[in-house]
Amino acid sequence: MAPVFASLHDAVAELIHDGDTVAMEGFTHLIPHAAGHEVIRQGRTDLTLIRMTPDIIYDQLIGAGAARKLVFSWGGNPGVGSLHRLRDAVEHGWPRPLELAEYSHAMMASAYVAGASALPFGVLRAGAGTSLPEQNPALQSVICPFTGESLTAVKAHRPDVTVIHAQRADRTGNVQLWGIVGIQKEAVYCAQRSLVTVEEIVDELAPMPGAVVLPAVTVTMIALAPGGAHPSYAQGYYRRDNAFYLAWDATSRSRESFGAWLRGVRAGS
Amino acid sequence: MAPVFASLHDAVAELIHDGDTVAMEGFTHLIPHAAGHEVIRQGRTDLTLIRMTPDIIYDQLIGAGAARKLVFSWGGNPGVGSLHRLRDAVEHGWPRPLELAEYSHAMMASAYVAGASALPFGVLRAGAGTSLPEQNPALQSVICPFTGESLTAVKAHRPDVTVIHAQRADRTGNVQLWGIVGIQKEAVYCAQRSLVTVEEIVDELAPMPGAVVLPAVTVTMIALAPGGAHPSYAQGYYRRDNAFYLAWDATSRSRESFGAWLRGVRAGS
Amino acid sequence: MKPTGEETMRIVAARALRGHRTCFVGIGAPSAAANLARRIHNPDLLLIYESGTIGSKPNVLPLSIGDGELAETADSVVSVPEIFAYWLQAGRIDVGFLGAAQIDRTGRLNTTVIGPYQRPRVRLPGAGGAPEIAAAAREVVIMLRQRPEAFVERLDFVTSVGRPARVITDLGVLVPDDGTGELTLTQVHPGVTVDQARAATGWPLSVAADVGETAPVTEEELAVLRALEQ
Amino acid sequence: MKPTGEETMRIVAARALRGHRTCFVGIGAPSAAANLARRIHNPDLLLIYESGTIGSKPNVLPLSIGDGELAETADSVVSVPEIFAYWLQAGRIDVGFLGAAQIDRTGRLNTTVIGPYQRPRVRLPGAGGAPEIAAAAREVVIMLRQRPEAFVERLDFVTSVGRPARVITDLGVLVPDDGTGELTLTQVHPGVTVDQARAATGWPLSVAADVGETAPVTEEELAVLRALEQ
C-alpha cells in the first residue's frame, strides 16, 4: 500500500534488523548519512552492506562494527584518498573482520538492474581476464545463444532493505529526486523493503526537469530528515561539504579519533 | 561528430537505402509519419521494418510495397481494429508477400535495450510455453548460471537506421522529447545511423520535466518537419487526430481506396 | 437502463479490482473496466499503461493507450523498457487484463492468427504485452465474449500462457478448477442460463456444483460506464 | 614557470584528447587532463562522468565525480546503469583514462590490493569503472607516475585488462609494441633521460629505436592547469 511516514528512529527500528542485507545508495549526491548514523545509534550489527562507493557513510558503519560483509565496487574517499576504517577492517580485522564481495561499477549497476527487473542475473561485457571472478562467486559467465560469445553474468542484488535520501515526498508517498540520480531507483526497486529519507514533505510534487519519481507503491517507509545527506549534498537544498570529506581523512585515520567521532554520534539524538 | 541538418528529402535520401533494416519508433506519441511518407515518395523497397506497434505508419509503407519483412509485437490500429494493408500483405501477399518476425512487447523492448547496450542478447521471463519461439529464431533460451532457471533470450536489434520524431533540437544537434517517450532512446542508440525529425529547431533547449535529451553525438541527421507526427501527436504542439485513425479503417480497407491515398502521398512534396 | 452482455462483462471486471493497488491496462474493454473501478470501487487504484504512464487519471477513455491525457495526468511517465522490466516483470502489477480471439480450457490465449501461422485465414494483431502480462501479473483477468469460435478445443496459436484468476464473459464467470486448472463456470449474469453458457463454449463446459448469479449491475455502474465510453 | 613531472603528465594527456569527441572522466588526474583539453585543445570535447553527467562544463575541478556543478552544467544527466550500458559499453567513448597502483608490461592494471587478496598489505579502493573502461573505450590512456613499485613484473591483482593506446607517466610515454603488445618507451619529457625511465621501471624496459622528446609544456597549458587545480 502507500508508504508509512515515521520518524527516522522508528523507520530504522522497523525496517533494518541485525543480519540484514542493506543497500544505502546515492552516487556522491543524496547519500543517506542521517539514516546511516541512526543505524549506528541503534547498534545494528552483522549487516551485509551493499553500495557502489562505500564512501564515508560505510566507513562510519564499518568502523562502528555494524558490518559483517561489504558488497561494493570502489572504496575510497572521493578526491581525498583512503577510507581508513574500511582499510583497518580489511587489513587488520578491526573492529571485526570484514568479508568483501567485490565488483566493478558496471557489474554493480547490472546487478541492481537485474534485481529491479526480477531477473536472477544481469549480463555485461567486462571483467573477463581480471581477477574479480576468482574472488567473487557472484560473477560467472554466460554464452550468447546467438553469437557464441562469452559474457559476464552477475547475480542480481536483492537486498532486504534499501535506504536512499531524496529531495522530497508528497503526502501520499510519491518520492521525487533530481540532479545526479545514480542508481537509487534500481536500488529501491530491487529491495524487499525500502526507506526514503527526505528533505521535505510537500502537498504536491511540482514537476522538475530531470526528476525521477518513485511512485508511492514502490516505497515502504518515508522519514523526514532535513540535511540528511550531509556531508554529501542535496541539489536545490545545500552543497557538498567538501571540507568534511577532507577532514574525515584525519578523523578516521586513527581508531582513537574515530572513536571520539563515534561517541559523538551515539550521544546524538 | 555533430548531426547534419538537412531537408527531410535529403536526409531520407542519404540515410535510408533499399534493403535496409529500418526502425521507426514512437509509442503512439511522436510517430514519424512525415518521414514514412518521404520513404514512400522516394520509392524505397525491400526494407525490413522494425516497430513494436506497426500502426498506420507501417500499414502505409506495407501497402506501398516498401517492405520485405516486418519485425513487430502488435499490429493493429489502436482502438479501431485491423491494419488492413498489413493483413492483405500477410493473408494474400498483396502487393507483395511480407515475412514476419514476431515478438511480444517486452521482447521487443529487451531487444532494443540489448542493442543500445551493445550486447548480443537481452534476457526476460516471458514467452515460455507460447508458440512465439517456434516461429521466431531470434527467441532462444538461456540458463541462469546461478539458479539454473531457463529464461528467454532475445537477439539484440541493430537496425541500419532508426527514425524518430521529437519535439525539438538545438542548433548543435541535441534532441529533446517529452511526454510518452516509449522506446525511442533505445531505438536510436541501437542503430548504426539515425534520423530525427523535429517540430522546431531552437537556440537553447529549455529543460522540461520528464524530457529525454539525446546528446548530439548520438544522432546522425536532423530534419525540420513541423507536424511530422500527424496523425499521431506531439505533446505541447498538437493533439492526436483520432478522426484520422478512425477514417483510416475505411481508407485502408480496400486496395482501391488505399491506392487513391497513395497517389496523393506520392504527388505530395 | 438495462446493460448489454458486454457492459456487464466490463462492470464485473471492474468489481474484480476491489482491494487491489495496481492494474496494468490495455486499450478497449480493460481500460473501461479499470477506469470504472477507479471511479466507483477503488479510487486509489493505480492505473499503469504499457505506454509507460503510471497513475494516469483520464477523464474520458482514451482511444489509444498512448494518448496525451494519459501522460499529462500521470504521477510518473517512464520508458517502455522500464514499464515492462521494473513494473510488470518485477511483480508490481496486482491485476492484468487480457482479451483474445481464442481461449482454451486451461486459459491459454490466441491473439495472433486464425488458421495456420504461415497462411492465416485471419491475421490478428499479435502478442502485444500479453505473454508478459500472463506470466507476471499477480492476477490475470481475461475478458472476452463467450462464443464457440472463441472458446475452442485447440488454439491455432499459443500467444500467452498462464493460469488466469478468472475469465469474465458476456454470459458469466469462469474460474480455473483448484485441482485440474480447467476453466469452470462458477457464475452466470442475471438472465443467463447455464445451458446458454454451455452452448457458447466449444468444449464440454465444466460447471461448478453451485453456480452463482452475478450481483445485478447498479444504475451507478452503468451510468458511469456509459459516460466513460461516449 | 616550470612544470612538475606530474603536471607534464596531465598536460600530455590533455594533448592526447585532440580530435576526439567524447571522453570518460574519472576524478583526479583524468579530470584535470580532460578539462584542460576542453579549454585549450578541444573545446567541443564532450566530458562524460561515470556519475551520469553528459557534457559537463565545470569551471573548477570538482573534488568528486558527482559534484553538483557537473549536473548543473551538463547537457543531460542519466542514471548510472545508462551511462555504463548505453555510453561506455555501447562504444560511445573515444577516450577513457585510467590510473593504477600497479601496471605490468602488457598494460594490465591493479587498483585493488598490494599483497595477497585475502590478507593485503594495502587495501586499495578497487575496480570502480576500470574493467569496463579498459574493455570498451576506443582508446584507453593510462596515467601514472613511473616508479619500480608501480611498474611491476607481476601484478598482485588484475583489476583491468585491455590494450592501452598509451601510458603517460611523469617521465615519458609508453606505447604497446605493434607485434608483441609490450609497453615500449617512445618518448621522454624534456630533461628526462631514457636511463631514468629504465630505472623507474620494475622490468627490463623496452625502448623504441628512436625515442622522441615531448614538446615542451607551454605557458598557457601550465597556467590553465594550475588555475583548474587551485
Side-chain angles (χ1 to χ4, degrees), chain A residues 27 36 58 72 74 92 104 142 146 166-167 173 188 200 202-203 205 221 242 247 259:
Chain A
F27 204 88
Y58 278 6
F72 77 113
W74 191 84
H92 310 109
S104 73
V142 64
F146 304 101
Q167 277 100 338
V188 168
E200 56 177 340
V202 297
D203 288 331
L205 296 174
M221 294 185 84
N242 284 332

Side-chain angles (χ1 to χ4, degrees), chain D residues 2 6 11 26 30 37 39 41 68 73 101 126 130 140 146 152 156 169 200 229:
Chain D
K2 204 174 152 348
E6 290 214 42
I11 286 164
R39 274 174 180 68
H41 307 296
T73 62
V140 173
Q146 204 161 345
V152 297
D156 290 342
T169 80
E229 291 195 321

Side-chain angles (χ1 to χ4, degrees), chain B:
Chain B
M1 312 312 262
V4 172
F5 290 84
S7 69
L8 180 55
H9 174 278
D10 291 355
V12 166
E14 170 80 19
L15 293 180
I16 304 180
H17 316 128
D18 287 351
D20 273 355
T21 296
V22 181
M24 298 187 178
E25 279 293 354
F27 203 89
T28 302
H29 182 211
L30 294 172
I31 302 176
H33 274 279
H37 296 163
E38 184 60 32
V39 170
I40 290 174
R41 268 194 294 276
Q42 295 192 18
R44 287 293 170 285
T45 188
D46 290 332
L47 302 176
T48 292
L49 294 176
I50 307 181
R51 185 172 158 76
M52 292 182 68
T53 57
D55 219 307
I56 291 180
I57 187 172
Y58 279 6
D59 210 37
Q60 295 173 346
L61 282 155
I62 291 164
R68 180 184 77 70
K69 181 174 177 181
L70 176 67
V71 178
F72 77 113
S73 43
W74 192 83
N77 181 347
V80 179
S82 290
L83 292 175
H84 298 293
R85 296 299 96 222
L86 166 55
R87 284 187 57 181
D88 203 11
V90 174
E91 295 170 11
H92 310 110
W94 193 94
R96 56 183 292 184
L98 184 68
E99 191 184 333
L100 299 182
E102 190 150 1
Y103 298 73
S104 72
H105 279 347
M107 293 167 186
M108 284 287 281
S110 186
Y112 276 125
V113 168
S117 307
L119 289 174
F121 69 105
V123 177
L124 76 163
R125 192 186 283 108
T130 73
S131 309
L132 290 165
E134 294 163 22
Q135 300 298 342
N136 186 346
L139 304 174
Q140 298 291 333
S141 63
V142 64
I143 305 295
C144 172
F146 304 101
T147 63
E149 181 184 355
S150 174
L151 296 115
T152 297
V154 53
K155 194 175 179 202
H157 285 335
R158 299 305 302 259
D160 295 309
V161 197
T162 286
V163 182
I164 67 164
H165 187 74
Q167 277 100 337
R168 55 195 188 187
D170 68 19
R171 293 184 202 286
T172 62
N174 296 299
V175 168
Q176 190 187 41
L177 56 156
W178 64 88
I180 291 174
V181 293
I183 193 76
Q184 283 98 307
K185 180 192 285 186
E186 288 76 14
V188 168
Y189 288 4
C190 75
Q192 308 299 311
R193 309 184 290 278
S194 59
L195 165 59
V196 181
T197 59
V198 294
E199 289 296 324
E200 55 176 339
I201 295 165
V202 297
D203 289 331
E204 191 151 355
L205 296 174
M208 289 287 293
V212 163
V213 171
L214 307 181
V217 291
T218 66
V219 176
T220 315
M221 294 185 84
I222 294 175
L224 184 63
H230 178 271
S232 80
Y233 69 107
Q235 194 159 324
Y237 290 79
Y238 45 91
R239 301 184 70 80
R240 193 169 191 270
D241 184 355
N242 284 332
F244 188 100
Y245 281 82
L246 292 163
W248 184 253
D249 192 64
T251 306
S252 63
R253 194 174 286 266
S254 78
R255 296 174 187 174
E256 294 64 35
S257 55
F258 173 76
W261 176 87
L262 189 58
R263 282 189 296 279
V265 166
R266 287 195 170 132
S269 62

Side-chain angles (χ1 to χ4, degrees), chain C residues 5-23:
Chain C
E6 290 214 39
E7 284 172 335
T8 301
M9 177 175 86
R10 290 161 199 227
I11 286 165
V12 172
R15 293 175 184 169
L17 289 166
R18 283 186 185 125
H20 289 295
R21 287 179 310 176
T22 55
C23 177

Side-chain angles (χ1 to χ4, degrees), chain D residues 35-103:
Chain D
N35 279 287
L36 179 59
R38 202 173 59 76
R39 274 174 180 68
I40 297 188
H41 307 296
N42 189 347
D44 294 332
L45 183 69
L46 196 71
L47 304 190
I48 295 162
Y49 284 78
E50 63 190 13
S51 51
T53 68
I54 299 167
S56 294
K57 303 155 198 77
N59 279 316
V60 294
L61 287 188
L63 183 65
S64 91
I65 53 160
D67 280 17
E69 200 188 2
L70 296 178
E72 286 156 17
T73 62
D75 295 330
S76 180
V77 179
V78 301
S79 72
V80 161
E82 181 163 340
I83 210 76
F84 282 103
Y86 292 179
W87 287 80
L88 182 53
Q89 185 169 269
R92 296 191 183 281
I93 305 299
D94 290 341
V95 180
F97 284 113
L98 291 175
Q102 293 181 332
I103 186 171

Side-chain angles (χ1 to χ4, degrees), chain A residues 28 30 36 68 70 73 77 80 100 109 120 139-140 143 153 170 181 193 198 201 209 211 226 235 237 241 258 265:
Chain A
T28 302
L30 294 172
R68 180 184 77 70
L70 176 66
S73 43
N77 180 347
V80 179
L100 299 182
L139 304 174
Q140 299 291 332
I143 305 295
D170 68 20
V181 293
R193 309 184 291 278
V198 293
I201 295 165
Q235 193 159 323
Y237 291 80
D241 185 356
F258 174 76
V265 167

